[in-house]
Amino acid sequence: MHTVSTGLEVVAVKSWNVVTAIPILGALLRKLMSIFPDPEDQNIMSFIKVMWKYRAFDFRDFMQSHRLALKKGQETGDFVPGVCNYYKVMADIITVSSGPFWHFVPMTHGLTRKQCHDQFHHIMAKTLDAKKGEKILEFGCGFGEIGRQVAKISGANVTGLTMADEEIEGGTERIAKAGLTGQCKMVQGNYHKMPFEGNSFDKIFGVYTLKYSADLDAAYGEFSRCLKKGGKLASYEILITDKYNPDDKQQKYHVDQISISTCMPSLWPAEAHRQAAKKAGLVLKEEVDLCKAPNTDPWYSCFEVTGVHRMLMSPMIYRLVKLGEAIRLLPRGFTDFYDSCLIHPATDFVIAGRAGIIDGAVMMVFEKP
């Protein structure tokens, strides 16, 4: 029988190498590390981080304002106040739970989620044919993460346009932290009526932002106005496919929930983008589904491989959340928020994506003749 001295026990507690050498404890810790691989990326641990950070937040007030804003948007067609209200909370929650990357990208075999996003940044820079010194606009940029990456890759000067105060402040801080103050900047404004002179930009791009537009004609009209002659517009969007049948109640439910949960208008079909761009005088040069590339998993698969979809679909987890709020371990209104803004739209993206009625990896490239 072998014994371990007290001194060695102390060293074992302090030293990862020694701990991993102990068969049982080391295997357990390695298993935990595989479950929670990166605290700054999307994984089950994300849910715990969100609960802890917002443990004192009153979600009842947020959900009330969310529903009032959605109702107003549906009645008036103006979803801007609702989108701004939504991102006052969700901008931070999405960043806490999924890192700086808010959009879906093709999941290439053998690459981590972060590596897939880095690959997407290079694809965007290549799609734009971004060059050093060019003036590029990212509209609906959030905190401007993709714009900063395009600037780093290409040397271009990138302006990020967003409406939310929190995103202007946070984006400006991140620009400074990245050492890009002279190369990137944040501007507050609405892409339906942009605060720029005509012919201001060599290239314009947006990622997952036109889904918030209730007026594609106005949006594409502004892009055309602000683009220089010969300039490119790249739009990477989540779209309704031709397979969608609005008379199918189950399909309609999942598509509608994506809009309701995020306080945005109904998703647009690809043809609506084509027609709005054509009306604005832009010429479609390329339209490609990036997930059609070899060795590529669907855009929504990040929720599957991390276990997030399985967790959000679990009735047991939902009951535990409800119990947690009842005994005050979770903040007031969290169950409603969990159901309305976490379960939806995440599970709807996966279910609708599997059914082929939603596509989240379509890149459209237009040119101003």
Side-chain angles (χ1 to χ4, degrees):
M1 179 177 178
H2 298 282
T3 60
V4 182
S5 70
T6 303
L8 286 178
E9 288 176 352
V10 173
V11 173
V13 170
K14 294 181 178 180
S15 171
W16 173 259
N17 290 332
V18 175
V19 168
T20 54
I22 301 175
I24 296 176
L25 185 56
L28 176 61
L29 290 174
R30 285 192 294 270
K31 180 65 175 177
L32 288 173
M33 289 296 289
S34 69
I35 296 174
F36 308 129
D38 189 338
E40 295 183 353
D41 201 5
Q42 187 182 79
N43 51 68
I44 298 297
M45 194 66 179
S46 302
F47 181 63
I48 299 173
K49 290 190 292 183
V50 168
M51 288 194 299
W52 176 253
K53 184 167 185 178
Y54 285 86
R55 62 192 181 280
F57 186 79
D58 191 342
F59 284 97
R60 295 181 307 175
D61 288 345
F62 172 72
M63 291 308 303
Q64 183 179 11
S65 64
H66 177 76
R67 291 190 171 101
L68 286 173
L70 177 63
K71 185 173 184 291
K72 183 178 179 180
Q74 292 170 335
E75 291 173 349
T76 66
D78 181 10
F79 289 84
V80 171
V83 171
C84 289
N85 179 71
Y86 175 76
Y87 278 110
K88 281 182 179 178
V89 174
M90 291 305 298
D92 183 53
I93 286 180
I94 295 171
T95 301
V96 169
S97 63
S98 296
F101 311 119
W102 299 6
H103 52 286
F104 296 109
V105 297
M107 302 299 291
T108 303
H109 296 176
L111 299 183
T112 66
R113 178 173 172 269
K114 281 188 174 183
Q115 289 170 333
C116 288
H117 277 275
D118 183 59
Q119 177 178 254
F120 176 79
H121 299 149
H122 283 79
I123 290 172
M124 180 58 77
K126 183 178 180 180
T127 298
L128 291 168
D129 191 22
K131 296 181 175 65
K132 185 175 182 178
E134 285 187 328
K135 293 180 66 177
I136 296 178
L137 172 69
E138 180 188 7
F139 63 90
C141 68
F143 288 118
E145 177 66 28
I146 305 174
R148 290 194 301 278
Q149 297 301 323
V150 169
K152 286 181 180 179
I153 293 166
S154 67
N157 300 308
V158 180
T159 298
L161 180 72
T162 186
M163 295 184 294
D165 295 336
E166 292 78 7
E167 292 173 355
I168 292 291
E169 181 180 350
T172 301
E173 290 174 355
R174 294 172 195 205
I175 287 170
K177 187 176 180 180
L180 295 170
T181 300
Q183 195 178 343
C184 299
K185 65 179 179 179
M186 300 289 290
V187 173
Q188 192 162 29
N190 185 334
Y191 58 69
H192 295 93
K193 192 174 182 180
M194 299 196 290
F196 307 114
E197 298 292 330
N199 306 304
S200 296
F201 295 98
D202 299 291
K203 314 283 172 60
I204 295 177
F205 77 96
V207 174
Y208 274 36
T209 185
L210 287 174
K211 66 182 185 291
Y212 293 111
S213 175
D215 189 348
L216 286 184
D217 287 348
Y220 277 96
E222 280 293 274
F223 304 149
S224 181
R225 180 183 69 82
C226 292
L227 263 179
K228 296 178 182 178
K229 185 176 180 179
K232 279 187 177 182
L233 166 67
S235 177
Y236 180 77
E237 286 297 329
I238 185 162
L239 305 168
I240 294 173
T241 72
D242 293 338
K243 289 182 66 175
Y244 174 61
N245 178 11
D247 295 326
D248 185 313
K249 291 183 179 180
Q250 196 65 27
Q251 289 188 17
K252 190 175 188 305
Y253 171 79
H254 291 298
V255 171
D256 287 349
Q257 282 300 316
I258 291 171
S259 300
I260 291 169
S261 62
T262 54
C263 205
M264 67 183 187
S266 299
L267 291 173
W268 294 97
E271 182 60 21
H273 286 266
R274 300 185 197 106
Q275 292 302 318
K278 184 177 180 180
K279 186 176 180 179
L282 299 171
V283 179
L284 179 63
K285 290 295 185 179
E286 184 181 14
E287 181 177 331
V288 59
D289 185 340
L290 299 184
C291 283
K292 299 299 184 183
N295 301 313
T296 302
D297 286 328
W299 49 275
Y300 55 81
S301 62
C302 60
F303 283 143
E304 296 174 315
V305 298
T306 57
V308 169
H309 177 67
R310 185 167 58 254
M311 182 193 76
L312 292 176
M313 289 290 289
S314 169
M316 182 185 71
I317 296 294
Y318 180 81
R319 288 194 292 269
L320 288 174
V321 168
K322 196 171 182 179
L323 175 62
E325 182 181 347
I327 63 177
R328 297 293 185 265
L329 287 177
L330 294 173
R332 293 180 297 183
F334 186 80
T335 304
D336 185 16
F337 172 78
Y338 177 75
D339 185 25
S340 301
C341 295
L342 296 183
I343 291 178
H344 302 287
T347 58
D348 302 295
F349 283 135
V350 175
I351 294 169
R354 287 172 176 172
I357 59 176
I358 295 293
D359 194 332
V362 176
M363 181 79 80
M364 291 182 170
V365 183
F366 304 91
E367 186 176 287
K368 182 176 179 180

